[in-house]
Amino acid sequence: MSEAAAAPSPRCPNCGAPVAWDAARGALACGYCGGASTVEAQGQVVEHAIERAAGYRAATLRVRRVDCAGCGAQVDFEPGIIASRCAFCGSHEVVAHDAEAAAPESVLPFAVPLQQADEAFRRWLKGLWFRPNDLKRMAKLKELRGVYLPFWTFDATADSRWTAMAGYHYWVSESYTVTVNGRSERRTRQVRRTRWEPASGQRRDRHDDHLVYASRGLPLHLVRNVEPFDTTKLQPFTAAFLAGWGAEEAAFGAEAGWVAGQRQLHEEQQWRCGSDVPGDTHRDLQVHTAFSQVSFKPTLLPIYVAAYAYRDEIYRFLVNGQTGKVSGDAPWSWVKITLAVIFALLLLGGVWAAEGR
């Protein structure tokens, strides 16, 4: 599509009121009459050969875009939707305007209801250690919202060749001298040594739907911590899945996504090859990987995002909208940490004193 197409807002077949995707029921639900209707996604999820990445151009949709002056995030909604607060940082400094957004080709609908995500936040707070005592009381959840985040997925075959020095541990007896009551004594102890031998090998791996986060709206470590997603449940894109939810557009294209994807897959192959090295340990690991049969697709994945305030600082909290897995930031209590360190030192000192008697 070369021109932007308006995404019609779904309506209730019973009363004509606007409907939204209900994660609990897995259907479009009406907030007025309670009616629900299923979403029939048309077509199939398509993989594109990486050779098409340079000229790839997605269809576009007319949306209502909310720009945040606080964190720079851009979130798209259905036309006519009004948002007064940024989903990524909680700022009220947002400006809404009409825009065109690239339509993804697949989407993973929300499956975790909002109430369940909120309960996950409360449990997460209760389980924190070395945090301020008043955090649970003062942390105020600001509009926990579901947002579809953009990802590129990549399929690739990785052929890796590796060389390394394999280490094999063995034990030898070693004599040493100690002084006991003013007298020297010879004693023997077992000491571990390592024998090093050259090793090499190769392996082939098939990576399916490797995810590359395609936005800068949220810290990467928080997003990675709520993975994985079951991408076998991906649906062909239809705007009905986004009804009532926000979506962020990809900040970079498939080519840049594959650059990041290759770097991540190289790291993965490095780890896998390291696990193939025989022996007890290894060093000087060198891995050379070539990728083939590479394909890609753009997709949207569901994540609940919230910003909570603690002593005028904003901390972010995420919930995987498919599995309920939690990731978040929280302040540290340096008083508790310091007291714990002092207690550990005192305990260790007591052990040393007891052994010296």
Side-chain angles (χ1 to χ4, degrees):
M1 293 172 57
S2 58
E3 296 182 358
S9 299
R11 296 281 173 172
C12 176
N14 298 325
C15 66
V19 294
W21 175 258
D22 189 314
R25 291 196 274 182
L28 290 173
C30 178
Y32 291 88
C33 71
S37 57
T38 59
V39 175
E40 297 294 337
Q42 302 298 318
Q44 60 183 359
V45 178
V46 177
E47 300 279 351
H48 302 282
I50 196 62
E51 291 76 16
R52 290 192 55 197
Y56 177 78
R57 185 179 179 185
T60 56
L61 296 172
R62 287 197 292 271
V63 297
R64 189 65 172 169
R65 177 165 295 168
V66 176
D67 297 330
C68 176
C71 68
Q74 293 182 321
V75 180
D76 298 334
F77 297 89
E78 297 173 88
I81 296 295
I82 298 176
S84 61
R85 179 176 291 169
C86 175
F88 291 164
C89 71
S91 172
H92 288 282
E93 298 182 45
V94 294
V95 177
H97 59 92
D98 294 327
E100 293 182 5
E105 297 182 0
S106 60
V107 60
L108 192 61
F110 273 88
V112 174
L114 177 62
Q115 181 179 357
Q116 184 178 334
D118 184 73
E119 291 171 353
F121 172 75
R122 305 301 173 188
R123 290 195 303 271
W124 177 75
L125 276 180
K126 290 179 180 179
L128 295 179
W129 293 83
F130 297 117
R131 309 295 179 167
N133 289 329
D134 56 353
L135 175 63
K136 298 178 182 64
R137 176 177 57 82
M138 295 181 63
K140 304 296 183 182
L141 202 59
K142 292 187 176 181
E143 295 183 13
L144 181 66
R145 302 194 65 167
V147 180
Y148 286 98
L149 299 185
F151 288 79
W152 294 101
T153 79
F154 294 96
D155 294 354
T157 297
D159 288 290
S160 298
R161 295 178 179 273
W162 59 265
T163 60
M165 295 299 292
Y168 298 84
H169 297 321
Y170 63 97
W171 297 85
V172 297
S173 296
E174 180 181 84
S175 298
Y176 65 102
T177 302
V178 296
T179 301
V180 179
N181 298 325
R183 298 176 58 186
S184 295
E185 293 184 4
R186 295 289 290 172
R187 294 183 179 180
T188 302
R189 61 189 173 193
Q190 294 295 304
V191 179
R192 192 180 75 178
R193 305 289 190 211
T194 303
R195 182 181 72 256
W196 296 100
E197 298 179 2
S200 62
Q202 60 185 24
R203 61 178 296 140
R204 167 173 284 193
D205 295 284
R206 182 63 182 171
H207 296 272
D208 181 58
D209 282 350
H210 176 77
L211 296 177
V212 173
Y213 179 45
S215 168
R216 300 178 179 88
L218 290 172
L220 178 60
H221 74 279
L222 290 183
V223 177
R224 295 299 297 268
N225 285 343
V226 296
E227 295 179 9
F229 293 88
D230 183 3
T231 55
T232 64
K233 300 294 196 301
L234 284 173
Q235 299 290 323
F237 176 77
T238 175
F241 287 126
L242 273 61
W245 306 80
E248 192 182 12
E249 188 175 9
F252 50 83
E255 280 190 298
W258 179 229
V259 171
Q262 284 186 85
R263 183 173 61 251
Q264 295 166 7
L265 290 177
H266 272 296
E267 293 176 358
E268 174 67 18
Q269 290 301 115
Q270 185 90 6
W271 180 85
R272 293 188 182 190
C273 290
S275 66
D276 288 346
V277 180
D280 304 302
T281 186
H282 66 267
R283 68 185 184 189
D284 302 331
L285 176 65
Q286 298 291 326
V287 179
H288 300 278
T289 300
F291 296 103
S292 61
Q293 299 175 303
V294 181
S295 61
F296 72 93
K297 63 179 176 293
T299 190
L300 291 176
L301 302 182
I303 292 183
Y304 284 100
V305 184
Y308 67 95
Y310 179 78
R311 294 185 177 177
D312 299 325
E313 292 291 333
I314 299 297
Y315 298 88
R316 291 181 176 88
F317 170 79
L318 309 183
V319 180
N320 185 313
Q322 181 190 38
T323 66
K325 187 178 179 181
V326 173
S327 173
D329 286 329
W332 293 96
S333 172
W334 296 109
V335 173
K336 287 186 177 181
I337 293 173
T338 301
L339 291 175
V341 170
I342 293 174
F343 176 78
L345 291 175
L346 291 174
L347 183 62
L348 186 60
V351 172
W352 286 343
E355 291 180 346
R357 291 194 184 99

